[in-house]
Amino acid sequence: MTGLEKVIGKIIADAEADAKEILDHAEAECAAIREKYEARREAELEALREANDRECQALIVRAKSSAAMAKRNAILEARAAILNEAYAAAEKQIRSMNGEQYVDFLCKMLRSAMKRQLEGEADSLRLYGENISPAKYEVLLNNRDRDYYGDKLMEVFLSGMGAKLPPEARAKIRLAGETVPIDGGLVLRAGAVETNCSLSMLLAESRRETETRVSRILFGDSN
């Protein structure tokens, strides 16, 4: 082997050694980069899994809440329907009263209205010294009830429940010549003051006063 060949061989060997060193270094850097990104990818995947878990738990909580709300609404709707049916049955019973029963019902309404009116007059006189007693007390019915029951109502009331009223008040009770557009019951007019004892008003007032108690009876509510 000549000197030139030795020089060329040495150059090639050195070049190969340098190339191998460079390649080994590059592979080491690549391995480090891969390890770094693999660790980052694993951390990101773990974060993503945790985020997914949190979202799933939140979805479950919302689903349970929605289910509970839907159940509660369904129960409330069912209860409301049952209460409506109960009060509708009571209304139907009232509306199906025969003539004698209905006149007695009207007498009780008139007695209650007169009692309230006279108490208001007494309070006005006691507290303010003002006599607000009207010249007359007018009983107003709807057109049908006035024709069928007007005279009978006044006769039965004045000879029965109305007999306990103060004579001066009893003497001023009249059946009004006009009628009112109500579904039943009556309206008591005392001057400018009217006491609405219509059937619809009485039923609504009765429901407001009794619904809690009726609900307790029907559903066993504790409060």
Side-chain angles (χ1 to χ4, degrees):
M1 178 180 297
T2 65
L4 180 59
E5 289 173 339
K6 288 180 180 181
V7 171
I8 292 172
K10 179 69 168 61
I11 292 171
I12 292 173
D14 290 344
E16 288 176 347
D18 290 342
K20 185 177 182 306
E21 183 179 351
I22 291 171
L23 183 60
D24 290 344
H25 182 70
E27 287 179 350
E29 285 188 348
C30 287
I33 291 171
R34 280 196 299 271
E35 184 177 350
K36 174 184 175 182
Y37 279 98
E38 184 65 26
R40 180 185 296 176
R41 186 176 71 88
E42 189 61 33
E44 290 175 350
L45 287 174
E46 182 61 26
L48 190 59
R49 281 193 292 268
E50 291 177 357
N52 286 338
D53 288 343
R54 287 195 299 271
E55 181 62 23
C56 287
Q57 290 300 320
L59 285 172
I60 291 171
V61 170
R62 288 197 295 271
K64 288 182 177 179
S65 177
S66 296
M69 181 64 72
K71 179 180 178 181
R72 179 176 178 274
N73 289 340
I75 291 174
L76 289 176
E77 288 177 5
R79 286 188 171 198
I82 292 171
L83 281 171
N84 288 339
E85 186 176 345
Y87 282 99
E91 180 178 353
K92 182 178 180 181
Q93 184 174 346
I94 292 173
R95 293 186 183 280
S96 64
M97 290 186 295
N98 61 37
E100 184 176 340
Q101 291 172 326
Y102 188 60
V103 168
D104 183 64
F105 172 77
L106 291 175
C107 284
K108 290 175 180 177
M109 295 303 99
L110 181 53
R111 178 183 61 182
S112 177
M114 281 297 301
K115 182 175 181 292
R116 192 181 314 172
Q117 173 63 30
L118 293 176
E119 287 174 351
E121 292 174 11
D123 288 343
S124 177
L125 188 60
R126 176 173 55 85
L127 295 174
Y128 310 109
E130 183 180 1
N131 183 1
I132 60 171
S133 177
K136 57 183 176 180
Y137 302 101
E138 296 180 283
V139 180
L140 293 91
L141 305 172
N142 65 28
N143 190 62
R144 171 187 172 278
D145 286 353
R146 191 185 189 288
D147 289 345
Y148 279 93
Y149 306 114
D151 293 336
K152 186 67 175 178
L153 166 63
M154 301 310 298
E155 176 188 344
V156 172
F157 179 77
L158 292 174
S159 63
M161 298 178 187
K164 298 180 180 180
L165 294 174
E168 61 275 14
R170 182 175 176 276
K172 294 192 288 185
I173 300 176
R174 303 280 188 275
L175 178 65
E178 61 189 286
T179 59
V180 284
I182 57 176
D183 55 349
L186 58 88
V187 172
L188 176 66
R189 179 187 292 160
V193 178
E194 291 188 350
T195 302
N196 187 348
C197 295
S198 65
L199 188 54
S200 58
M201 177 66 71
L202 292 170
L203 288 169
E205 184 176 306
S206 174
R207 179 160 186 168
R208 284 194 300 272
E209 294 175 352
T210 63
E211 187 165 342
T212 299
R213 185 165 68 253
V214 171
S215 178
R216 188 179 297 119
I217 293 171
L218 290 175
F219 311 117
D221 294 336
S222 59
N223 47 39

